[in-house]
């Protein structure tokens, strides 16, 4: 990719709503992305490889467990800071943000919230530095939007649990040292288990040929009579509500992250429109291109406000699942529309790796599907406002 010239749009002076600490955290992540991600990301996406070397840097900027208390190695930050870090990472690449979202909200969060003190001490500090990578296994081949129907199950064998089943579409799986796995016990109740690399019968085959999120490794989790020690059960919460609580946290981060991808595409298109001359003048001087740019900055600004308010509510412990769904759905859709328009504004150049736009576009096709699809989030809002669930007949 050409030199990273990114300048963040802030049309409504929203920086004034941030604390000095939040701005410091955001700026550190922004600088890190410019230095460590922008120069390498195109190459890693082209070869469809996760850049493992960025793990320690992600740990250093607090991207692994931003809101996990410092006593467990986390950064002890507030929710808005967490969101801002995700925004900056996704400005670089959704796959890098994915790695951090999964590690923070889907692995560290459940260990912190539902784990025992021994589990916290054993895993959290190593996950916070990036020495360990984690993954989260909820989705199965036959159960995506309806995880409650999962088939993966475990039996109490007295001195251990015996785990069988399979998960698919699992981010970080091929490199994960530990997997938070959701499985049913003999009574059909969902529990979280910590499955560690090296346990006999546990494999993590990589999913190849993705056109999207190519710098994030995706894989399966296969459990063939895996003996899981009893001390690896997450004892603090059971039922589908436990993984759904993790998803609340991750979806919140994605709502912020999508703004990052949109800001990058807008900034690129704006700069290009002032430089590219057709019919004797910069294309940014044509009304049709100005319409695209004006709508982009309007939508980014609305998303920034929505997300900032959600961050305040979340910091006060008042954000609801449905509010988070609305922000995830709106912002990812907003980002997809913006990257598609930005791609057109760059003409043929828009499809090349010289610019980040096509990569963002392809990435966002996963982001709009994972952590609850666009349609599922709409139904969550529908349920919330009517009180009638449209998921099931
Ligand atoms: P439903 O009957 O509504 O709920 C089941 C139980 O859970 C409780 N609950 C919650 N508890 C805590 N926090 C929440 N946010 C909760 N939401 C629901 C609920 O009260 C109930 O409790 P109880 O005691 O009555 O049993 O569940 P449902 O089966 O109707 O499904 C609802 C639905 C469809 C909204 C939900 O399952 C859903 O969100 N589906 C989408 C699946 C999804 O998002 N999967 C994501 C997989 S992880 C991923 O994609 C990672 S990508 C990572 C990356 O790379 O960034
Ligand atoms: P399906 O559930 O089969 O849905 C297919 C279509 O039907 C969708 O359009 C959906 O909106 C629609 N649909 C389904 N039910 C309804 C309904 N009731 N009403 C109306 N429409 C409906 N999962 C994890 O557990 N961990 C991970 O780390 C993870 N990482 C991922 C990484 C990538 C790159 C991808 C692509 C996915 C990842 N996932 C992960 C899985 C992801 O969460 C699922 O793909 C997602 O939840 C949708 O499930 P599905 O693909 O099975 O689609």
């Amino acid at each position: 990719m050409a030199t990273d010239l990114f300048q963040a749009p802030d049309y409504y002076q929203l920086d004034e709503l941030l604390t000095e600490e939040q701005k410091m955290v955001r700026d550190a992540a922004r600088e890190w992305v410019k230095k460590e991600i922008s120069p390498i990301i195109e190459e890693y996406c082209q070869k469809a490889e996760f850049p493992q070397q960025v793990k320690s840097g992600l740990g250093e900027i607090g991207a692994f467990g931003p809101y996990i208390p410092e006593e467990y190695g986390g950064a002890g930050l507030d929710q808005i800071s967490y969101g801002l870090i995700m925004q900056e990472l996704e400005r670089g690449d959704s796959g890098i943000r994915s790695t951090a979202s999964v590690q923070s909200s889907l692995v560290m969060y459940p260990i912190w919230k539902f784990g025992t003190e021994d589990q916290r001490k054993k895993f959290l500090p190593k996950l916070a530095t990036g020495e360990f990578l984690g993954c989260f296994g909820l989705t199965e081949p036959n159960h995506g939007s309806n995880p409650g129907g999962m088939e993966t199950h475990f039996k109490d064998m007295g001195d251990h649990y015996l785990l069988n089943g399979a998960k698919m579409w699992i981010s970080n799986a091929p490199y994960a040292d530990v997997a938070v796995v959701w499985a049913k016990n003999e009574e059909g109740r969902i529990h979280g288990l910590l499955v560690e690399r090296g346990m006999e019968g546990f494999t993590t085959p990589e999913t190849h040929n993705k056109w999207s999120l190519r710098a994030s490794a995706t894989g399966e989790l296969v459990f063939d009579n895996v003996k899981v020690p009893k001390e690896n059960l997450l004892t603090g919460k059971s039922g589908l509500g436990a993984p759904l609580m993790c998803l609340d946290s991750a979806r919140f981060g994605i709502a912020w992250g999508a703004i990052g991808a949109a800001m990058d595409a807008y900034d690129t298109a704006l700069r290009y429109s002032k430089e590219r001359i057709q019919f004797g003048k910069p294309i940014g001087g044509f009304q049709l291109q100005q319409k695209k740019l004006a709508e982009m900055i309007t939508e980014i600004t609305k998303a920034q406000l929505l997300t900032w308010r959600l961050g305040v509510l979340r910091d006060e412990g008042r954000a609801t699942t449905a509010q988070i769904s609305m922000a995830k759905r709106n912002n990812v859709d907003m980002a997809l529309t913006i990257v598609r328009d930005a791609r057109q504004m760059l003409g043929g150049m828009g499809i090349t790796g010289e610019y980040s736009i096509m990569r963002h576009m392809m990435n966002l096709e996963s982001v709009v599907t994972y952590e609850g699809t666009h349609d599922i989030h709409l139904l969550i809002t529908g349920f919330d406002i009517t009180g009638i669930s449209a998921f099931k007949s």
Side-chain angles (χ1 to χ4, degrees), residues 60-360:
E60 279 160 26
I61 61 164
F64 287 159
Y67 53 82
I68 299 292
E70 287 170 286
E71 61 175 307
Y72 299 116
L77 296 169
D78 60 18
Q79 290 289 310
I80 291 182
S81 299
Y82 160 48
L84 288 164
I85 294 174
M86 297 301 126
Q87 172 188 287
E88 296 307 316
L89 295 183
E90 194 142 4
R91 206 281 297 174
D93 189 77
S94 305
I96 303 298
R97 195 271 307 136
S98 255
T99 299
S101 301
V102 171
Q103 183 94 334
S104 301
S105 288
L106 300 182
V107 178
M108 296 178 74
Y109 174 83
I111 294 174
W112 172 51
K113 275 278 174 196
F114 316 136
T116 63
E117 193 55 22
D118 282 350
Q119 290 166 348
R120 290 187 193 122
K121 286 189 177 136
K122 178 174 173 185
F123 293 105
L124 293 179
K126 287 184 174 163
L127 289 161
T129 58
E131 182 186 339
F132 269 17
L133 197 65
C135 69
F136 175 91
L138 182 66
T139 306
E140 298 189 351
N142 296 325
H143 301 280
S145 297
N146 66 330
M150 71 175 66
E151 293 160 48
T152 300
H153 60 278
F154 64 98
K155 266 189 185 168
D156 189 337
M157 305 300 281
D159 63 341
H160 66 270
Y161 299 116
L162 198 65
L163 178 66
N164 278 288
K167 302 286 176 181
M168 78 178 292
W169 293 120
I170 308 304
S171 302
N172 296 355
Y175 295 97
D177 300 283
V178 59
V180 173
V181 176
W182 300 95
K184 284 181 177 165
N185 68 9
E186 285 147 285
E187 287 78 49
R189 182 89 183 152
I190 295 170
H191 288 266
L193 294 161
L194 300 174
V195 180
E196 297 173 65
R197 184 164 299 282
M199 287 181 175
E200 210 179 321
F202 173 45
T203 49
T204 59
E206 184 157 0
T207 304
H208 295 290
N209 298 330
K210 290 181 301 168
W211 283 106
S212 174
L213 287 188
R214 288 167 65 82
S216 157
T218 313
E220 294 166 49
L221 303 177
V222 182
F223 315 106
D224 180 10
N225 285 320
V226 182
K227 285 183 180 175
V228 181
K230 287 212 151 166
E231 65 262 26
N232 282 25
L233 183 77
L234 296 176
T235 52
K237 189 169 168 69
S238 64
L240 187 59
L244 290 178
M245 273 175 74
C246 306
L247 294 183
D248 279 353
S249 179
R251 291 166 177 173
F252 170 80
I254 292 172
W256 286 84
I259 298 176
M263 291 199 307
D264 195 48
Y266 164 76
D267 179 60
T268 304
L270 178 62
R271 189 172 309 106
Y272 191 86
S273 76
K274 293 182 195 168
E275 290 166 0
R276 176 69 175 166
I277 311 286
Q278 288 294 289
F279 299 97
K281 70 175 188 180
I283 59 166
F286 297 116
Q287 287 183 10
L288 285 172
Q289 306 314 316
Q290 288 190 2
K291 177 173 186 290
K292 290 193 186 78
L293 290 166
E295 285 176 352
M296 285 182 203
I297 192 62
T298 306
E299 291 308 314
I300 287 171
T301 305
K302 282 153 68 179
Q304 286 171 329
L305 278 162
L306 180 76
T307 315
W308 177 80
R309 176 62 184 155
L310 186 66
V312 171
L313 289 174
R314 196 145 165 90
D315 271 323
E316 292 172 355
R318 295 196 291 141
T320 65
T321 295
Q323 287 169 338
I324 295 168
S325 275
M326 182 185 281
K328 190 267 182 185
R329 180 176 186 274
N330 180 78
N331 291 8
V332 177
D333 190 53
M334 170 280 296
L336 259 172
T337 304
I338 286 178
V339 297
R340 285 169 183 156
D341 279 349
R343 215 289 305 145
Q344 287 198 54
M345 287 189 66
L346 266 71
M349 288 309 291
I351 70 150
T352 72
E354 280 295 299
Y355 295 91
S356 55
I357 294 176
M358 191 78 179
R359 180 166 46 78
H360 283 311

Side-chain angles (χ1 to χ4, degrees), residues 20-39:
E20 286 310 310
E21 182 182 64
Q22 287 163 351
K23 282 188 268 192
M24 222 170 67
V25 166
R26 192 260 327 265
D27 293 345
R30 186 168 290 170
E31 279 315 301
W32 183 82
V33 166
K34 274 202 172 184
K35 197 160 151 262
E36 305 292 339
I37 299 300
S38 300

